[in-house]
Amino acid sequence: MENMGDWEKMNLLNELIQGKELTKQLQDQLHLPVSSSSSSSSSSRDQTHEMLIHRILSSYDKALSMLNAEPPVGGCLRRLSESPPSLGGSPMSGGDSDRDLNDGSTQRKRKAIQRWTKQVRVAPGSELEGPLDDGFSWRKYGQKDILGAKYPRGYYRCSHRNVQGCLATKQVQRSDDDPTVFEITYRGRHTCNHPPAAVVPPFPLPENQTGSSASLDGPPLQIIQPQPEQNQTQSQDVAFDFRGDLAVITQNLDSNNDDHNQSSSMFGFPSASDNIFGVMSNSSHFSSTSHFLSSFQAGPNLGSTESELAMIVSAATSGNNSRATAHLDSDLPPRGMEFANEDISFDSTGFFP
DNA sequence: GTGATTTGACCAGT
DNA sequence: ACTGGTCAAATCAC
């Protein structure tokens, strides 16, 4: 992403600006006269909404200013040496998982697919080859010994591939050095309508972003993550930490930008009841290509508008070295949602090569 | 019986 | 030629 071209930069700027505008529109919407029935409680909610929107807007401002001040930012953000070798043509080079994507026939060119990796540590005593449940339903379709690797790599695809044509796949490889560590490489995005039961973001979070997750029934997981850049905001390190016993870090992604519009990805919160999950907004308002605006929603059982708006975390990015940060002080977590951290931050950095 | 996993073979990219 | 990724028949588990 270092070499973000002017065109990409412009796109990013546009997206940021658009995101900001949309947030303002949302602000206007929320300021619509409140019905008389809702009184004090709603006004306190209004305040919360106001505060959230302010934060979102300020994040956009921040991102925009960072982008304007750009070149320097670039150098520091990237790296993540442990990211899967991607662009340069590495082992995983072409990845694809989608031979059939091209209708299985003539179009052989492997389409570069966005890919991101995280490392998950399982508790030493826990079952080997644990499910590493990330909330999605995966079906194993292959396993292969990899040259130079002690352990075979497992290949999984979304169980809903056949039914819904979901092309998401992942590869799971145990680390040679530390058998309790699994490197999971996600490829493609989920297009299925099955909300995850747990938290791993099945969409590429920008590099350096960290997060935490819970597996519903697996062993405690902890994700290992390359150290964040020094100059980053305090929010960098922990994006979501809903349960103390595990953490998941999405490490990197190789994105190919033909896949910007990952508007419908979903990710969930650790919730045994599966009631709570986050949804990458798929609305036309939020689906602009280069940024994503994710809204965490209360699940089906918690469907009040207020809860749905409890969190809107916006990370404008995709462009390159720029970063957008959205903090969220969860004054009003959706009902049923428990936060280990009061201050949840979502920090994203650009992720174009 | 149905669906998931295993595993050897095949294919594409380098 | 070699390696990673996928296919698909055989096998396993529920």
Side-chain angles (χ1 to χ4, degrees), chain A residues 51 126 137 202 205 232 236 249 256 259 341:
Chain A
M51 181 197 70
S126 61
S137 176
L205 293 177
Q232 300 186 354
Q236 177 84 23
I249 284 136
N256 227 343
D259 212 317
N341 286 1

Side-chain angles (χ1 to χ4, degrees), chain A residues 13-291:
Chain A
L13 271 170
N14 286 338
E15 294 300 339
L16 286 169
I17 290 166
Q18 185 182 356
K20 191 175 168 181
E21 287 305 313
L22 290 171
T23 306
K24 283 179 178 171
Q25 286 177 29
L26 175 61
Q27 185 177 31
D28 291 342
Q29 292 294 317
L30 290 174
H31 282 165
L32 288 175
V34 185
S35 75
S36 56
S37 60
S38 47
S39 52
S40 62
S41 67
S42 69
S43 67
S44 98
R45 278 197 297 265
D46 287 346
Q47 288 177 4
T48 303
H49 295 163
E50 180 84 42
M51 181 197 70
L52 290 174
I53 285 172
H54 262 108
R55 285 173 177 252
I56 293 167
L57 287 173
S58 94
S59 291
Y60 274 115
D61 287 338
K62 227 169 166 180
L64 284 166
S65 66
M66 283 169 141
L67 185 59
N68 288 333
E70 201 200 338
V73 184
C76 76
L77 285 186
R78 29 251 223 223
R79 124 270 103 148
L80 285 199
S81 49
E82 32 308 57
S83 313
S86 44
L87 294 170
S90 61
M92 315 199 58
S93 69
D96 88 348
S97 81
D98 300 325
R99 206 155 52 197
D100 42 348
L101 203 151
N102 303 324
D103 269 340
S105 44
T106 42
Q107 195 170 352
R108 295 299 192 181
K109 263 284 199 239
R110 289 192 173 181
K111 188 176 164 188
I113 282 193
Q114 52 183 185
R115 181 176 64 195
W116 58 104
T117 301
K118 67 188 170 78
Q119 292 181 322
V120 177
R121 167 170 290 153
V122 300
S126 61
E127 53 198 315
L128 301 185
E129 304 303 333
L132 296 176
D133 186 357
D134 56 14
F136 282 87
S137 176
W138 299 100
R139 176 171 177 164
K140 189 171 187 175
Y141 66 87
Q143 175 169 304
K144 195 161 182 63
D145 288 322
I146 299 301
L147 194 72
K150 252 196 255 182
Y151 304 96
R153 175 179 299 164
Y155 297 88
Y156 300 81
R157 64 166 61 110
C158 180
S159 299
H160 307 117
R161 182 188 182 97
N162 294 333
V163 181
Q164 298 185 27
C166 179
L167 295 174
T169 63
K170 74 171 179 181
Q171 300 173 356
V172 177
Q173 175 130 37
R174 185 183 291 256
S175 165
D176 286 347
D177 300 333
D178 184 353
T180 65
V181 172
F182 289 85
E183 182 166 294
I184 305 177
T185 301
Y186 291 90
R187 297 156 87 190
R189 61 188 155 111
H190 282 275
T191 55
C192 56
N193 293 324
H194 292 65
V199 162
V200 174
F203 59 89
L205 293 177
E207 59 186 76
N208 281 349
Q209 179 174 333
T210 62
S212 74
S213 124
S215 101
L216 291 179
D217 43 21
L221 306 177
Q222 180 185 11
I223 282 56
I224 293 89
Q225 166 76 345
Q227 287 312 301
E229 300 299 347
Q230 297 75 9
N231 287 336
Q232 300 186 354
T233 66
Q234 60 193 27
S235 61
Q236 177 84 23
D237 294 342
V238 179
F240 307 108
D241 186 1
F242 300 109
R243 275 202 329 219
D245 59 347
L246 66 80
V248 171
I249 284 136
T250 295
Q251 191 170 58
N252 162 33
L253 102 123
D254 260 6
S255 100
N256 227 343
N257 306 338
D258 55 356
D259 212 317
H260 283 181
N261 38 342
Q262 40 188 321
S263 48
S264 58
S265 302
M266 307 173 91
F267 60 100
F269 292 86
S271 163
S273 63
D274 297 349
N275 276 342
I276 298 167
F277 54 91
V279 179
M280 288 294 291
S281 173
N282 196 23
S283 77
S284 57
H285 282 201
F286 297 144
S287 61
S288 53
T289 52
S290 294
H291 79 279

